[in-house]
Amino acid sequence: MDFKDSIKHLSERIMKLKDSLQTEEATKNAFIMPFINALGYDVFDPLEVVPEMVCDIGMKKGEKIDYAILKDGQPILLIECKHWKENLNLHDNQLMRYFNVSKAKFGLLTNGIKYRFYTDLVEKNIMDTKPFLEVDMTDISDAEIEELKKFHKSYYSLENILSSASELKYTNELKQVIAKEFANPSPEFVRLLAKNVYDGVMRGDKIMEQFTAFVKKSINSYINEIISDRLENAIKLEHPEQEKKEEPTAEVAQTAPIEEEEKQPQVVTTTEELEGFFAIKSILRDDVDPSRLSYRDYMSYFCIILDDRSKRIVARLYFNKSNKYLGVFDSEWKEHKYSVETIDDIYKYAEELKVSLHLYLDKN
């Protein structure tokens, strides 16, 4: 089994087993030790992996890191582990303390599902406050697998990892900034764009409010156009025979029997439904990784779902008729429909959407 297959297999294993793991130790055994093995290291060989390695911090003696991966007798990666339900944001300071007194160049904070890799790009020998790489094993891309592969025993190169760490760190942070600006444009961002199309002076709340709405609408429209173009190109590539159909000759047209086509209702995903989907992803991005949200379109409504599971319905958009509604669920799983005239109206129900989302997040 190659590295990619090993990671994919572990990803499937996590989805099946996580609900049955009640302790941090169980998380280590079921998820984190297999991950270390996937990186090519023998967790039972003390020359490769040291469990509970001592990291004395100042006057504190006997402080221990969960695992340390060694190369030539020296630690190269410190691993701090938590239970899979733990919020990693609460524990990065602990890893930082270990990192700063160690010779290891990389630190890893994980709950067996999310893996955050740190180094010292900002200040030498001081762990950065933000990871340069973060992967979610339940939603991992091929590109992320390639980055993980750089930590594999057979491919490990300090120079190679550091050369890409800086790019990964800042591109990821920039993506977050862009996503935030796209969802809720800041005054600075609005002014930056507006000065290219507006000859007047950007003064007054009314003008700013007006251009903020213009920017949001323009961004949503542009994204939808990109998606539509890609979908159209994908369909053409998949069904090239539909690109050109020969017109029947007059003789054939006159003699061929007229067959009435079966008229079956087809689900058509509209631009407005996609805009609603992106608006909801923006609203919920602080509560859940946006990549975990997807959609399924039906004849009667458009569903926003969690983890691509049809029964995990976060919201419904009833946009097929003149009166449009947003459907969300309360704490007792009862659906409430709210009238929406524009996509921006969805933002009025941010709290209701978060309640609906947490019906599943809190259950986990």
Coordinates of all heavy atoms in Angstrom, one line a residue, residues 132-134 141 143-144 167-183 285 289-291:
F132 N 1.9 26.2 9.5 CA 2.1 26.4 8.1 C 1.4 25.3 7.3 O 1.2 25.5 6.0 CB 3.6 26.3 7.7 CG 4.3 25.0 7.9 CD1 4.3 24.0 6.9 CD2 4.9 24.7 9.1 CE1 4.9 22.8 7.1 CE2 5.5 23.4 9.3 CZ 5.5 22.5 8.3
L133 N 0.9 24.3 7.9 CA 0.1 23.3 7.2 C -0.9 22.7 8.2 O -0.6 22.4 9.3 CB 1.0 22.1 6.8 CG 0.3 20.9 6.1 CD1 -0.4 21.3 4.9 CD2 1.4 19.8 5.8
E134 N -2.2 22.6 7.8 CA -3.2 22.0 8.6 C -4.1 21.1 7.7 O -4.5 21.6 6.6 CB -4.1 23.1 9.2 CG -5.2 22.4 10.0 CD -6.0 23.5 10.8 OE1 -5.7 24.6 10.8 OE2 -7.0 23.0 11.5
S141 N -7.3 16.5 0.7 CA -7.1 16.6 -0.7 C -5.8 15.9 -1.1 O -4.9 15.7 -0.3 CB -7.1 18.1 -1.1 OG -5.9 18.7 -0.6
A143 N -3.5 17.3 -2.9 CA -2.4 18.2 -2.6 C -1.9 18.2 -1.2 O -0.7 18.3 -0.9 CB -2.8 19.6 -3.0
E144 N -2.8 18.0 -0.2 CA -2.4 18.0 1.2 C -1.7 16.6 1.5 O -0.7 16.6 2.3 CB -3.6 18.1 2.0 CG -4.2 19.5 2.0 CD -5.6 19.6 2.7 OE1 -6.3 18.5 2.8 OE2 -6.0 20.7 3.2
E167 N 5.7 29.4 1.9 CA 4.6 29.6 0.9 C 3.3 29.1 1.4 O 2.3 29.7 1.3 CB 5.0 28.9 -0.4 CG 4.0 29.0 -1.5 CD 4.4 28.3 -2.7 OE1 5.6 27.9 -2.9 OE2 3.5 28.2 -3.6
L168 N 3.3 27.9 2.0 CA 2.0 27.3 2.5 C 1.4 28.2 3.6 O 0.2 28.4 3.6 CB 2.3 25.9 3.1 CG 2.5 24.8 2.1 CD1 3.0 23.5 2.9 CD2 1.2 24.4 1.4
K169 N 2.3 28.6 4.5 CA 1.8 29.4 5.7 C 1.1 30.7 5.2 O -0.1 31.0 5.6 CB 2.9 29.8 6.6 CG 2.6 30.8 7.7 CD 3.8 31.1 8.5 CE 3.5 32.3 9.5 NZ 2.5 32.0 10.5
Y170 N 1.7 31.4 4.3 CA 1.2 32.7 3.9 C 0.1 32.6 2.9 O -0.8 33.5 2.9 CB 2.3 33.7 3.5 CG 3.3 34.0 4.6 CD1 4.6 33.5 4.6 CD2 2.8 34.7 5.7 CE1 5.5 33.8 5.7 CE2 3.7 35.0 6.8 CZ 5.0 34.5 6.8 OH 5.8 34.8 7.8
T171 N 0.2 31.7 2.0 CA -0.9 31.5 1.0 C -2.2 31.1 1.8 O -3.3 31.5 1.4 CB -0.6 30.4 0.0 OG1 -0.2 29.2 0.6 CG2 0.5 31.0 -1.0
N172 N -2.1 30.2 2.8 CA -3.3 29.8 3.5 C -3.8 31.0 4.3 O -5.1 31.1 4.4 CB -2.9 28.7 4.5 CG -2.7 27.3 3.8 OD1 -3.2 27.1 2.7 ND2 -1.9 26.5 4.4
E173 N -3.0 31.8 4.9 CA -3.5 32.9 5.6 C -4.1 34.0 4.7 O -5.1 34.6 5.0 CB -2.3 33.6 6.4 CG -1.8 32.7 7.6 CD -0.7 33.4 8.4 OE1 -0.5 34.6 8.2 OE2 0.0 32.7 9.2
L174 N -3.5 34.1 3.5 CA -4.1 35.0 2.5 C -5.5 34.5 2.1 O -6.4 35.3 1.9 CB -3.2 35.2 1.4 CG -2.0 36.1 1.6 CD1 -1.0 36.0 0.5 CD2 -2.4 37.6 1.8
K175 N -5.6 33.2 1.9 CA -6.9 32.7 1.5 C -8.0 33.0 2.6 O -9.1 33.2 2.2 CB -6.8 31.1 1.3 CG -6.1 30.8 0.0 CD -5.7 29.3 -0.1 CE -6.8 28.4 0.1 NZ -6.4 26.9 0.0
Q176 N -7.6 32.9 3.8 CA -8.5 33.2 4.9 C -8.9 34.7 4.9 O -10.1 35.0 5.1 CB -7.9 32.8 6.2 CG -7.7 31.3 6.4 CD -7.0 31.0 7.7 OE1 -6.9 31.8 8.6 NE2 -6.5 29.8 7.8
V177 N -8.0 35.5 4.6 CA -8.3 36.9 4.5 C -9.2 37.2 3.3 O -10.2 38.0 3.5 CB -7.0 37.8 4.3 CG1 -7.3 39.2 4.0 CG2 -6.1 37.7 5.6
I178 N -8.9 36.6 2.2 CA -9.8 36.8 1.0 C -11.2 36.3 1.3 O -12.2 36.9 0.9 CB -9.1 36.1 -0.2 CG1 -7.8 36.7 -0.6 CG2 -10.1 36.0 -1.4 CD1 -7.0 36.0 -1.6
A179 N -11.3 35.1 1.9 CA -12.6 34.5 2.2 C -13.4 35.5 3.1 O -14.6 35.7 2.9 CB -12.4 33.2 2.8
K180 N -12.7 36.0 4.1 CA -13.3 36.9 5.0 C -13.8 38.2 4.3 O -14.9 38.7 4.6 CB -12.4 37.3 6.2 CG -13.0 38.1 7.3 CD -12.0 38.4 8.4 CE -12.6 39.2 9.5 NZ -11.6 39.4 10.6
E181 N -13.0 38.7 3.4 CA -13.3 39.9 2.7 C -14.5 39.7 1.7 O -15.4 40.5 1.6 CB -12.1 40.5 1.9 CG -11.0 41.1 2.8 CD -11.4 42.4 3.4 OE1 -12.5 42.9 3.2 OE2 -10.6 42.9 4.2
F182 N -14.5 38.5 1.1 CA -15.6 38.1 0.2 C -16.9 38.0 0.9 O -17.9 38.4 0.4 CB -15.2 36.8 -0.5 CG -14.3 37.0 -1.7 CD1 -13.6 38.1 -1.8 CD2 -14.2 36.0 -2.6 CE1 -12.7 38.3 -2.9 CE2 -13.3 36.1 -3.7 CZ -12.6 37.3 -3.8
A183 N -16.8 37.5 2.1 CA -18.1 37.3 2.9 C -18.6 38.6 3.5 O -19.8 38.9 3.4 CB -17.9 36.3 4.0
R285 N -18.7 29.8 8.3 CA -17.2 29.4 8.2 C -16.5 29.6 9.5 O -15.5 28.9 9.7 CB -16.5 30.3 7.1 CG -16.4 31.7 7.4 CD -15.7 32.4 6.2 NE -14.4 31.7 5.9 CZ -14.2 31.0 4.8 NH1 -15.2 30.8 4.0 NH2 -13.1 30.4 4.6
D289 N -15.4 24.1 9.1 CA -14.6 24.2 7.9 C -15.6 24.2 6.7 O -16.4 23.3 6.5 CB -13.7 23.0 7.7 CG -12.8 23.1 6.6 OD1 -13.1 23.8 5.6 OD2 -11.7 22.4 6.6
P290 N -15.6 25.3 5.8 CA -16.5 25.5 4.7 C -16.5 24.3 3.8 O -17.5 24.0 3.1 CB -16.0 26.7 4.0 CG -15.3 27.5 5.1 CD -14.7 26.5 5.9
S291 N -15.4 23.6 3.7 CA -15.3 22.4 2.8 C -16.2 21.3 3.2 O -16.5 20.4 2.4 CB -13.9 21.9 2.6 OG -13.4 21.4 3.9

